[in-house]
Coordinates of all heavy atoms in Angstrom, one line a residue:
M3 N -3.4 -17.7 -6.0 CA -2.8 -16.5 -5.8 C -2.4 -16.3 -4.3 O -3.2 -16.6 -3.4 CB -3.7 -15.3 -6.2 CG -3.1 -13.9 -6.2 SD -4.2 -12.7 -6.7 CE -4.4 -13.1 -8.4
G4 N -1.1 -16.0 -4.1 CA -0.6 -15.9 -2.7 C -1.0 -14.5 -2.1 O -2.0 -13.9 -2.5
N5 N -0.1 -13.9 -1.3 CA -0.4 -12.7 -0.7 C 0.7 -11.7 -1.0 O 1.1 -10.8 -0.3 CB -0.5 -12.9 0.8 CG 0.7 -13.4 1.5 OD1 1.7 -13.8 0.8 ND2 0.7 -13.6 2.8
E6 N 1.2 -11.9 -2.2 CA 2.2 -10.9 -2.7 C 1.6 -9.9 -3.6 O 0.7 -10.1 -4.3 CB 3.2 -11.6 -3.6 CG 4.2 -12.6 -2.8 CD 5.2 -13.2 -3.6 OE1 5.2 -13.0 -4.9 OE2 6.1 -13.8 -3.1
C7 N 2.1 -8.6 -3.5 CA 1.6 -7.5 -4.2 C 1.9 -7.8 -5.7 O 2.9 -8.2 -6.1 CB 2.3 -6.2 -3.8 SG 1.9 -4.8 -4.8
T8 N 0.8 -7.6 -6.5 CA 0.9 -7.9 -8.0 C 2.0 -7.0 -8.6 O 2.7 -7.4 -9.5 CB -0.4 -7.6 -8.7 OG1 -1.4 -8.4 -8.1 CG2 -0.3 -7.9 -10.2
Y9 N 2.2 -5.8 -8.1 CA 3.2 -4.9 -8.7 C 4.6 -5.1 -8.1 O 5.5 -5.3 -8.9 CB 2.7 -3.5 -8.5 CG 3.7 -2.4 -9.1 CD1 3.8 -2.4 -10.5 CD2 4.4 -1.7 -8.2 CE1 4.7 -1.5 -11.0 CE2 5.3 -0.7 -8.8 CZ 5.5 -0.7 -10.2 OH 6.4 0.2 -10.7
C10 N 4.7 -4.9 -6.8 CA 6.1 -4.9 -6.3 C 6.4 -6.2 -5.6 O 7.6 -6.4 -5.2 CB 6.2 -3.8 -5.3 SG 5.4 -3.9 -3.7
G11 N 5.6 -7.1 -5.3 CA 5.9 -8.4 -4.7 C 6.0 -8.4 -3.2 O 6.3 -9.4 -2.6
S12 N 5.7 -7.3 -2.6 CA 5.6 -7.2 -1.1 C 4.5 -8.1 -0.5 O 3.5 -8.3 -1.2 CB 5.5 -5.8 -0.6 OG 6.7 -5.0 -1.0
N13 N 4.7 -8.4 0.7 CA 3.5 -9.2 1.4 C 2.5 -8.1 1.7 O 2.6 -7.3 2.5 CB 4.1 -9.8 2.6 CG 3.0 -10.7 3.3 OD1 1.8 -10.5 3.1 ND2 3.5 -11.6 4.1
I14 N 1.3 -8.3 1.0 CA 0.3 -7.3 1.2 C -0.3 -7.4 2.6 O -0.9 -6.4 3.1 CB -0.9 -7.5 0.2 CG1 -1.5 -8.9 0.4 CG2 -0.3 -7.3 -1.2 CD1 -2.8 -9.0 -0.5
E15 N -0.2 -8.5 3.3 CA -0.7 -8.6 4.7 C -0.1 -7.6 5.6 O -0.5 -7.4 6.7 CB -0.6 -10.0 5.2 CG -1.3 -11.0 4.2 CD -2.8 -10.8 4.2 OE1 -3.4 -10.1 5.1 OE2 -3.5 -11.2 3.2
R16 N 1.2 -7.2 5.3 CA 1.9 -6.3 6.1 C 1.5 -4.8 6.0 O 2.0 -4.0 6.7 CB 3.4 -6.5 5.9 CG 3.8 -7.9 6.1 CD 5.2 -8.2 5.6 NE 6.2 -7.6 6.7 CZ 7.5 -7.7 6.5 NH1 8.1 -8.2 5.5 NH2 8.3 -7.3 7.4
H17 N 0.7 -4.6 5.0 CA 0.3 -3.2 4.7 C -1.2 -3.1 4.7 O -1.9 -3.7 5.6 CB 0.8 -2.8 3.3 CG 2.3 -3.0 3.2 ND1 3.2 -2.1 3.6 CD2 3.1 -4.1 2.7 CE1 4.5 -2.5 3.4 NE2 4.4 -3.7 2.9
D18 N -1.8 -2.3 3.8 CA -3.2 -2.1 3.8 C -3.7 -2.6 2.3 O -3.7 -1.8 1.4 CB -3.6 -0.6 3.9 CG -5.1 -0.4 4.0 OD1 -5.8 -1.4 4.2 OD2 -5.5 0.7 3.8
P19 N -3.9 -3.9 2.2 CA -4.1 -4.5 0.9 C -5.3 -3.9 0.1 O -6.3 -3.5 0.7 CB -4.3 -6.0 1.2 CG -4.8 -6.0 2.6 CD -4.1 -4.9 3.3
V20 N -5.1 -3.9 -1.2 CA -6.1 -3.3 -2.1 C -6.4 -4.4 -3.1 O -5.4 -4.9 -3.8 CB -5.7 -2.1 -2.8 CG1 -6.8 -1.6 -3.7 CG2 -5.3 -1.0 -1.8
F21 N -7.6 -4.8 -3.3 CA -7.9 -5.9 -4.2 C -8.7 -5.3 -5.4 O -9.5 -4.4 -5.2 CB -8.7 -7.0 -3.6 CG -8.0 -7.7 -2.5 CD1 -8.1 -7.3 -1.2 CD2 -7.1 -8.8 -2.7 CE1 -7.4 -7.9 -0.1 CE2 -6.4 -9.4 -1.8 CZ -6.6 -9.0 -0.5
V22 N -8.3 -5.8 -6.6 CA -9.0 -5.3 -7.8 C -9.7 -6.4 -8.5 O -9.2 -7.6 -8.7 CB -7.9 -4.7 -8.8 CG1 -8.6 -4.2 -10.0 CG2 -7.2 -3.6 -8.0
N23 N -11.0 -6.2 -8.9 CA -11.7 -7.2 -9.7 C -12.0 -6.7 -11.0 O -12.3 -5.5 -11.1 CB -13.0 -7.7 -8.9 CG -12.6 -8.3 -7.6 OD1 -12.0 -9.4 -7.5 ND2 -13.0 -7.7 -6.5
V24 N -12.1 -7.6 -12.0 CA -12.6 -7.2 -13.3 C -14.0 -7.7 -13.5 O -14.2 -8.9 -13.3 CB -11.6 -7.8 -14.4 CG1 -12.2 -7.5 -15.8 CG2 -10.3 -7.2 -14.3
G25 N -14.9 -6.9 -13.9 CA -16.3 -7.3 -14.1 C -16.9 -7.4 -12.8 O -16.8 -6.6 -11.9
A26 N -17.7 -8.5 -12.7 CA -18.5 -8.8 -11.5 C -17.5 -8.9 -10.3 O -16.4 -9.3 -10.4 CB -19.2 -10.1 -11.6
N27 N -18.0 -8.4 -9.2 CA -17.1 -8.4 -8.0 C -17.1 -9.7 -7.3 O -17.6 -9.9 -6.2 CB -17.7 -7.3 -7.0 CG -16.8 -7.0 -5.8 OD1 -15.5 -7.3 -5.9 ND2 -17.3 -6.6 -4.8
T28 N -16.4 -10.6 -7.9 CA -16.2 -11.9 -7.3 C -14.8 -12.3 -7.3 O -13.9 -11.8 -8.1 CB -17.0 -13.0 -8.1 OG1 -16.4 -13.2 -9.3 CG2 -18.4 -12.7 -8.3
S29 N -14.4 -13.2 -6.4 CA -13.0 -13.6 -6.3 C -12.5 -14.3 -7.5 O -11.3 -14.2 -7.8 CB -12.8 -14.5 -5.1 OG -13.6 -15.7 -5.2
T30 N -13.3 -14.9 -8.3 CA -12.9 -15.5 -9.5 C -12.4 -14.6 -10.6 O -11.7 -15.0 -11.5 CB -14.0 -16.4 -10.1 OG1 -15.2 -15.7 -10.4 CG2 -14.3 -17.6 -9.1
N31 N -12.8 -13.3 -10.5 CA -12.5 -12.3 -11.5 C -11.3 -11.4 -10.9 O -11.1 -10.4 -11.5 CB -13.6 -11.4 -11.8 CG -14.6 -12.2 -12.7 OD1 -14.2 -13.1 -13.5 ND2 -15.9 -11.9 -12.6
Q32 N -10.7 -11.8 -9.9 CA -9.7 -10.9 -9.3 C -8.5 -10.7 -10.2 O -7.9 -11.6 -10.8 CB -9.1 -11.6 -8.0 CG -8.2 -10.6 -7.2 CD -8.0 -11.2 -5.8 OE1 -7.0 -11.9 -5.6 NE2 -8.8 -10.8 -4.9
A33 N -8.2 -9.4 -10.5 CA -7.2 -9.0 -11.5 C -5.8 -8.7 -10.8 O -4.8 -8.7 -11.5 CB -7.7 -7.9 -12.3
G34 N -5.9 -8.5 -9.6 CA -4.7 -8.1 -8.9 C -4.8 -7.8 -7.5 O -6.0 -7.6 -7.0
Q35 N -3.8 -7.8 -6.7 CA -3.8 -7.4 -5.3 C -2.6 -6.5 -5.0 O -1.5 -6.8 -5.5 CB -3.9 -8.6 -4.4 CG -2.9 -9.6 -4.7 CD -3.0 -10.9 -3.8 OE1 -4.0 -11.1 -3.3 NE2 -2.0 -11.7 -3.9
F36 N -2.8 -5.5 -4.3 CA -1.7 -4.5 -4.1 C -1.5 -4.1 -2.7 O -2.5 -4.1 -2.0 CB -2.0 -3.3 -5.0 CG -2.2 -3.6 -6.5 CD1 -3.4 -3.9 -7.0 CD2 -1.1 -3.7 -7.3 CE1 -3.7 -4.3 -8.3 CE2 -1.3 -4.1 -8.7 CZ -2.6 -4.4 -9.1
C37 N -0.3 -3.8 -2.3 CA 0.0 -3.6 -0.9 C -0.5 -2.1 -0.6 O -0.7 -1.9 0.6 CB 1.4 -3.8 -0.5 SG 2.6 -2.7 -1.5
N38 N -0.7 -1.3 -1.5 CA -1.2 0.1 -1.3 C -1.7 0.7 -2.6 O -1.5 0.1 -3.6 CB -0.2 0.9 -0.6 CG 1.1 1.1 -1.4 OD1 1.0 1.4 -2.6 ND2 2.2 0.8 -0.7
Y39 N -2.3 1.8 -2.5 CA -2.9 2.5 -3.7 C -1.9 2.9 -4.7 O -2.1 3.1 -5.8 CB -3.8 3.6 -3.3 CG -5.2 3.1 -2.8 CD1 -5.5 3.1 -1.5 CD2 -6.1 2.7 -3.7 CE1 -6.7 2.7 -1.0 CE2 -7.3 2.2 -3.4 CZ -7.7 2.2 -2.0 OH -8.9 1.7 -1.6
A40 N -0.7 3.2 -4.1 CA 0.4 3.7 -5.0 C 0.8 2.6 -6.0 O 1.0 2.8 -7.2 CB 1.7 4.1 -4.2
C41 N 0.9 1.4 -5.5 CA 1.2 0.2 -6.4 C 0.1 0.0 -7.4 O 0.3 -0.3 -8.5 CB 1.5 -1.1 -5.6 SG 3.1 -1.1 -4.8
L42 N -1.2 0.2 -6.9 CA -2.3 0.0 -7.8 C -2.3 1.0 -8.9 O -2.4 0.6 -10.1 CB -3.6 0.1 -6.9 CG -4.8 0.2 -7.8 CD1 -5.1 -1.0 -8.6 CD2 -6.0 0.5 -6.8
A43 N -2.1 2.2 -8.5 CA -2.1 3.3 -9.5 C -0.9 3.1 -10.5 O -1.1 3.3 -11.8 CB -1.9 4.7 -8.8
T44 N 0.3 2.8 -10.1 CA 1.4 2.6 -10.9 C 1.1 1.4 -11.9 O 1.5 1.5 -13.1 CB 2.7 2.4 -10.2 OG1 2.8 3.5 -9.2 CG2 3.9 2.3 -11.1
H45 N 0.6 0.4 -11.3 CA 0.4 -0.8 -12.2 C -0.7 -0.5 -13.3 O -0.5 -0.8 -14.4 CB -0.3 -1.9 -11.2 CG -0.6 -3.2 -12.0 ND1 0.2 -4.0 -12.6 CD2 -1.8 -3.6 -12.4 CE1 -0.4 -5.0 -13.2 NE2 -1.7 -4.8 -13.1
I46 N -1.7 0.2 -12.9 CA -2.7 0.6 -13.9 C -2.1 1.4 -15.0 O -2.4 1.3 -16.2 CB -3.9 1.4 -13.2 CG1 -4.7 0.4 -12.4 CG2 -4.7 2.1 -14.3 CD1 -5.8 1.1 -11.5
E47 N -1.2 2.4 -14.6 CA -0.6 3.3 -15.6 C 0.3 2.5 -16.5 O 0.3 2.6 -17.8 CB 0.3 4.3 -14.9 CG -0.5 5.5 -14.4 CD 0.4 6.6 -13.9 OE1 1.5 6.6 -14.3 OE2 -0.1 7.5 -13.2
E48 N 1.1 1.5 -15.9 CA 2.0 0.8 -16.8 C 1.3 -0.2 -17.7 O 1.8 -0.5 -18.8 CB 3.0 0.0 -15.8 CG 3.9 1.0 -15.1 CD 5.1 0.3 -14.5 OE1 5.1 -0.9 -14.4 OE2 6.0 1.0 -13.9
E49 N 0.2 -0.7 -17.3 CA -0.6 -1.6 -18.1 C -1.4 -0.9 -19.1 O -2.0 -1.6 -20.0 CB -1.4 -2.5 -17.2 CG -0.7 -3.4 -16.3 CD 0.1 -4.5 -17.0 OE1 -0.5 -5.1 -17.9 OE2 1.3 -4.7 -16.7
G50 N -1.5 0.4 -19.0 CA -2.3 1.2 -20.0 C -3.8 1.0 -19.7 O -4.6 1.1 -20.6
L51 N -4.2 0.6 -18.5 CA -5.5 0.3 -18.3 C -6.5 1.5 -18.3 O -7.6 1.4 -18.3 CB -5.7 -0.4 -16.9 CG -5.0 -1.7 -16.8 CD1 -5.1 -2.4 -15.4 CD2 -5.4 -2.7 -17.8
T52 N -5.8 2.7 -18.2 CA -6.6 3.9 -18.2 C -6.8 4.4 -19.7 O -7.6 5.4 -19.8 CB -6.0 5.0 -17.4 OG1 -4.7 5.2 -17.9 CG2 -5.9 4.6 -15.9
D53 N -6.3 3.8 -20.7 CA -6.5 4.2 -22.0 C -7.9 4.3 -22.4 O -8.6 3.3 -22.4 CB -5.7 3.4 -23.0 CG -4.2 3.6 -22.9 OD1 -3.8 4.5 -22.2 OD2 -3.5 2.9 -23.6
G54 N -8.4 5.4 -22.9 CA -9.8 5.5 -23.3 C -10.8 5.5 -22.2 O -12.0 5.4 -22.4
A55 N -10.3 5.4 -20.9 CA -11.3 5.2 -19.8 C -11.1 6.4 -18.8 O -11.7 6.3 -17.7 CB -11.1 3.9 -19.2
A56 N -10.3 7.4 -19.2 CA -10.0 8.4 -18.2 C -11.2 9.1 -17.6 O -11.3 9.5 -16.5 CB -9.1 9.5 -18.8
C57 N -12.2 9.3 -18.5 CA -13.5 10.0 -18.1 C -14.4 9.2 -17.3 O -15.3 9.7 -16.8 CB -14.1 10.5 -19.3 SG -13.2 11.9 -20.2
E58 N -14.1 7.9 -17.1 CA -14.9 7.1 -16.3 C -14.6 7.2 -14.8 O -15.2 6.7 -13.9 CB -14.8 5.6 -16.6 CG -15.4 5.4 -18.1 CD -15.3 3.9 -18.4 OE1 -14.9 3.1 -17.6 OE2 -15.5 3.7 -19.6
W59 N -13.4 7.9 -14.6 CA -12.9 8.0 -13.2 C -13.4 9.4 -12.6 O -13.4 10.4 -13.4 CB -11.4 8.0 -13.1 CG -10.9 6.6 -13.3 CD1 -10.8 6.0 -14.5 CD2 -10.3 5.7 -12.4 NE1 -10.3 4.7 -14.4 CE2 -9.9 4.5 -13.1 CE3 -10.0 5.8 -11.0 CZ2 -9.3 3.4 -12.5 CZ3 -9.5 4.8 -10.4 CH2 -9.2 3.6 -11.1
P60 N -13.7 9.5 -11.4 CA -14.2 10.8 -10.9 C -13.0 11.8 -11.0 O -11.9 11.4 -10.7 CB -14.4 10.5 -9.4 CG -14.7 9.0 -9.4 CD -13.9 8.4 -10.5
C61 N -13.3 13.0 -11.5 CA -12.3 14.0 -11.6 C -12.2 14.9 -10.4 O -13.3 15.2 -9.8 CB -12.5 14.8 -12.9 SG -12.4 13.8 -14.3
Ligands
ZN400 ZN1 3.2 -3.2 -3.7

C-alpha cells in the first residue's frame, strides 16, 4: 500500500493521515488510509460500513 488516500487518491503525507484497521490494531489488518476524516467518513458511508452498527458509535 502506498501513501494514497483510499478514497480520493491524494497523497496522505501532505495532509493529516488517518489510518483504519479492521479487528486487531496491526498493520496487517489495515483496511484503508485517508488524507482526512472527511474522506474516511464518506468512504464508510459509501461502503455501507455503518449498517447495523450505528449504535456502536458515540452519539
Ligand atoms: Zn482523501
Side-chain angles (χ1 to χ4, degrees):
M3 188 179 290
N5 58 1
E6 291 183 351
C7 174
T8 299
Y9 179 68
C10 75
S12 292
N13 185 341
I14 62 170
E15 301 297 338
R16 305 174 74 179
H17 304 277
D18 184 18
V20 181
F21 297 94
V22 179
N23 297 296
V24 173
N27 187 24
T28 66
S29 59
T30 54
N31 288 330
Q32 190 168 91
Q35 53 186 11
F36 304 89
C37 60
N38 58 51
Y39 281 103
C41 282
L42 169 60
T44 306
H45 176 74
I46 289 174
E47 280 188 18
E48 294 193 350
E49 294 294 315
L51 299 181
T52 56
D53 287 355
C57 290
E58 294 182 10
W59 290 71
C61 296

